[in-house]
Amino acid sequence: MEIDPFIFRLSIFILSIFIGYYVVWSVTPSLHTPLMSVTNAISSVIIVGAIIAGLAGKSETIFNTSSIFGFLAISLAAINIFGGFLVTQRMLAMYKKKKKSK
Amino acid sequence: MLSANLSAIFYLISGVLFILALRGLSSPETSRQGNFFGILGMAIAVTVTFLSIGNFSTGFVVVLIFLLIGGLIGAFIAYKIPMTAMPELVAGFHSLVGLAAVFVAIAAFLNPEAFNLGSPGNIKLGSLIEMSIGAAVGAITFSGSIIAFLKLQGIMSGSPITFKGQHPLNALILISIIIITYLLCSTQSSNLFWILLAISFLIGFLLIIPIGGADMPVVISMLNSYSGWAAAGIGFTLENTALIITGALVGSSGAILSYIMCKGMNRSFFNVILGGFGATEQSASAKNKEQKPVKSGNADDAAFLMKNASSVIIVPGYGMAVAQAQHALREMVDTLKKNDIKVSYAIHPVAGRMPGHMNVLLAEANVPYDEVFELEEINNDFANADVAFVIGANDVTNPVAKTDPQSPIYGMPVLDVEKCKSVLFVKRSLSPGYAGIDNDLFYKENTLMLFADAKKMTEDITKNL
């Protein structure tokens, strides 16, 4: 009997939860705010689904309801991607070590 | 056009890069590289999606335009936002992830052919279940984050909003979400899909309104987690590895942060979620307000105390963020250091309105991160320090958490500020903090209250040093 591909995806999912668990516990508490903004940015990889929906229509049906939701989702996710990564970068650039010589 | 197998490999690569992005945050040195990995992973995922669809006609241009609009808005916000507004920003971003998940689910429901999920009215059962879960969790994330955003922004009152029958109502709605999902899957009715979305929006709203301002660290972390689970749900629908991996990472990240925040307050997750904390105790503390003697001083007294100290520990809290006092504080510390006084910062896990809030503000004010310590690292040092300078914190320093089992905050880990030789407490008034209880620290022998705006007081002290 063949295994349903869903089971493989479920395995990836469960194992990723464990990876997430160990990786996030090792994040230093002082970087918890950048952690939130970067997880925000990466969860916007949902833009992949939005692009598929946006490009689904043929040229004459390009603005059907489904594609419009896709287009809107693209913009929302893009705000998050650009905003999330850039603000994380801005924050991380501020974390400096003590200067030894003064 | 990219083959399905090849694109799946690329999605896996971007998933791995996202893991490395989080891994980088284990230390500030590697964090910037980690962020770069995250950006790379995202670029790969987006490019591969375009290539695998292989449609570069009019639709492609329209998609690029929408992408550009969003990107410009996002970049603009990222450069303009003040660091003190980080909690609002993150809450706002969560709401966008939630809404994007809802929109993708709607698009997939209306046009399942585009996603290889069957035809309208005849969507594959598994996909429909995954889609419903993604849409419902996304909707809850969206409306919940909007409320969190409004509360943090001060547009909506930060105090808990409770009403009779709140919990039964929420339970009823949650049960009906499950029933409707079941019916939706057996009938494929689009009306039920819209009803599912509507009540999910409603429950997100209802879940967050009873939660008060200082519990926001838990709420934001929880919504962070939800946005991950929503992404994972959509990932299953789209059979996309990058999305599944990311969803799982973000989901567990948010869950861990919520756990850390709850532990920082010694409260169970359910206690926070059910909300209404502080609402009842407020009246109790108002009753026994007998006048206890308090020593209050001015900037001159504070400067004198600190000048004669050899070590000072600074305890910042949300009040410092409100007063934007972080830069003034750093200037004061610079002056202290010039006088050979050892200065360190003590951060309580739930100081501020989101995890790590104080650390970012101090970093913004150019405080080196190796002078900033977590509660467990520094708590023993208070006994040897000369002065504790509490600026904008309150409940997290209250010794009552260690002494009075009757107190609502009993058992919460607190900073042992009272063990210092003297305590300087910058505060606007004697009013109790979020938990609605009096802080015993105000009335201690060795405490000097500095009644003023945190920023102004810090500046005045610097002048007097």
Side-chain angles (χ1 to χ4, degrees):
Chain A
M1 227 174 95
E2 230 178 291
I3 301 170
D4 190 315
F6 170 79
I7 303 298
F8 289 114
R9 287 191 284 277
L10 188 67
S11 319
I12 295 173
F13 179 64
I14 304 285
L15 293 177
S16 300
I17 292 178
F18 278 91
I19 294 173
Y21 179 85
Y22 288 107
V23 169
V24 172
W25 270 118
S26 71
V27 170
T28 160
S30 69
L31 291 176
H32 275 163
T33 299
L35 171 69
M36 298 201 95
S37 61
V38 86
T39 50
N40 227 309
I42 64 171
S43 58
S44 301
V45 72
I46 201 158
I47 197 169
V48 166
I51 294 173
I52 297 174
L55 286 179
K58 307 279 173 299
S59 46
E60 63 272 16
T61 59
I62 185 169
F63 284 112
N64 65 27
T65 328
S66 163
S67 304
I68 289 176
F69 276 111
F71 294 143
L72 294 176
I74 290 172
S75 282
L76 294 178
I79 295 179
N80 255 318
I81 293 173
F82 283 79
F85 280 126
L86 288 173
V87 89
T88 309
Q89 200 164 36
R90 211 181 118 197
M91 273 191 272
L92 293 177
M94 299 184 315
Y95 282 81
K96 290 185 197 90
K97 249 198 154 128
K98 199 169 359 192
K99 283 190 207 88
K100 280 276 171 274
S101 56
K102 229 186 180 173
Chain B
M1 199 161 154
L2 228 53
S3 81
N5 284 335
L6 196 56
S7 31
I9 300 240
F10 276 114
Y11 284 133
L12 178 62
I13 292 175
S14 69
V16 171
L17 285 168
F18 291 152
I19 295 173
L20 293 176
L22 299 193
R23 179 80 192 112
L25 290 172
S26 55
S27 111
E29 279 114 79
T30 54
S31 62
R32 283 169 279 255
Q33 191 194 28
N35 198 40
F36 172 73
F37 284 140
I39 296 172
L40 189 65
M42 188 61 74
I44 291 177
V46 171
T47 315
V48 166
T49 310
F50 280 128
L51 290 177
S52 65
I53 299 173
N55 170 1
F56 293 101
S57 57
T58 351
F60 179 66
V61 180
V62 180
V63 166
L64 276 192
I65 291 173
F66 276 91
L67 189 74
L68 203 67
I69 295 173
L72 284 176
I73 299 174
F76 181 76
I77 297 174
Y79 279 110
K80 283 282 162 201
I81 194 92
M83 283 300 145
T84 39
M86 235 14 157
E88 292 94 303
L89 180 76
V90 167
F93 278 170
H94 287 155
S95 74
L96 298 183
V97 178
L99 196 59
V102 171
F103 282 176
V104 172
I106 294 177
F109 185 78
L110 294 176
N111 187 6
E113 281 115 338
F115 297 87
N116 287 324
L117 306 174
S119 56
N122 192 19
I123 301 172
K124 279 187 273 178
L125 179 63
S127 310
L128 193 56
I129 298 174
E130 292 152 6
M131 201 187 289
S132 315
I133 295 174
V137 179
I140 295 173
T141 312
F142 171 71
S143 54
S145 302
I146 292 286
I147 301 299
F149 175 81
L150 293 176
K151 284 195 173 197
L152 287 164
Q153 190 68 276
I155 299 172
M156 205 172 144
S157 157
S159 52
I161 298 169
T162 48
F163 54 87
K164 232 179 147 191
Q166 195 163 26
H167 301 320
L169 177 70
N170 290 350
L172 194 71
I173 297 178
L174 285 174
I175 293 168
S176 57
I177 287 183
I178 297 168
I179 296 174
I180 291 176
T181 310
Y182 174 76
L183 291 176
L184 171 65
C185 293
S186 50
T187 64
Q188 304 251 349
S189 146
S190 58
N191 285 338
L192 284 174
F193 184 72
W194 300 118
I195 295 175
L196 176 69
L197 283 180
I199 56 171
S200 303
F201 279 127
L202 181 68
I203 188 73
F205 171 76
L206 288 172
L207 279 175
I208 308 300
I209 53 167
I211 305 177
D215 283 338
M216 279 301 147
V218 182
V219 172
I220 296 192
S221 317
M222 184 183 84
L223 291 167
N224 187 237
S225 178
Y226 284 2
S227 70
W229 304 131
I234 301 294
F236 274 102
T237 320
L238 305 181
E239 310 186 343
N240 183 302
T241 329
L243 207 40
I244 295 175
I245 295 179
T246 314
L249 290 179
V250 177
S252 53
S253 162
I256 290 172
L257 289 177
S258 322
Y259 170 79
I260 296 175
M261 294 301 116
C262 285
K263 247 189 102 190
M265 295 192 283
N266 188 39
R267 296 174 59 197
S268 77
F269 186 66
F270 286 103
N271 185 307
V272 176
I273 296 310
L274 294 178
F277 190 61
T280 44
E281 287 86 0
Q282 210 109 43
S283 50
S285 77
K287 259 183 275 161
N288 55 28
K289 255 232 164 86
E290 79 240 41
Q291 288 291 317
K292 282 184 258 182
V294 170
K295 274 197 290 182
S296 80
N298 55 29
D300 209 9
D301 306 327
F304 177 78
L305 263 172
M306 283 205 260
K307 228 187 305 191
N308 292 305
S310 61
S311 67
V312 173
I313 298 179
I314 300 195
V315 182
Y318 181 59
M320 181 188 81
V322 175
Q324 304 261 8
Q326 65 272 29
H327 297 279
L329 181 67
R330 207 251 314 141
E331 276 162 32
M332 183 187 94
V333 170
D334 281 351
T335 321
L336 289 175
K337 280 197 212 152
K338 266 184 217 141
N339 293 319
D340 282 328
I341 298 164
K342 187 176 166 283
V343 185
S344 34
Y345 299 81
I347 313 268
H348 191 274
V350 294
R353 285 292 185 267
M354 74 184 294
H357 192 184
M358 290 301 120
N359 303 77
V360 170
L361 293 182
L362 292 176
E364 186 201 10
N366 278 323
V367 173
Y369 61 81
D370 37 9
E371 287 176 11
V372 183
F373 299 93
E374 303 300 316
L375 178 123
E376 307 89 58
E377 295 171 317
I378 200 167
N379 228 2
N380 293 330
D381 297 355
F382 280 106
N384 305 320
D386 297 312
V387 176
F389 186 72
V390 183
I391 174 167
N394 187 359
D395 291 334
V396 299
T397 62
N398 197 339
V400 115
K402 288 173 286 191
T403 53
D404 180 9
Q406 300 297 314
S407 166
I409 62 167
Y410 181 71
M412 167 170 135
V414 287
L415 292 158
D416 296 334
V417 173
E418 78 281 358
K419 291 191 182 151
C420 266
K421 290 199 190 74
S422 45
V423 178
L424 294 169
F425 212 118
V426 186
K427 206 170 176 310
R428 280 166 187 276
S429 68
L430 273 182
S431 62
Y434 173 68
I437 46 167
D438 232 3
N439 192 341
D440 273 2
L441 203 57
F442 298 167
Y443 314 107
K444 291 256 185 218
E445 267 293 291
N446 55 355
T447 304
L448 188 68
M449 298 298 294
L450 307 167
F451 294 114
D453 173 74
K455 188 175 172 191
K456 196 168 173 304
M457 177 53 75
T458 324
E459 284 166 351
D460 288 348
I461 294 174
T462 315
K463 274 180 218 147
N464 283 304
L465 275 170

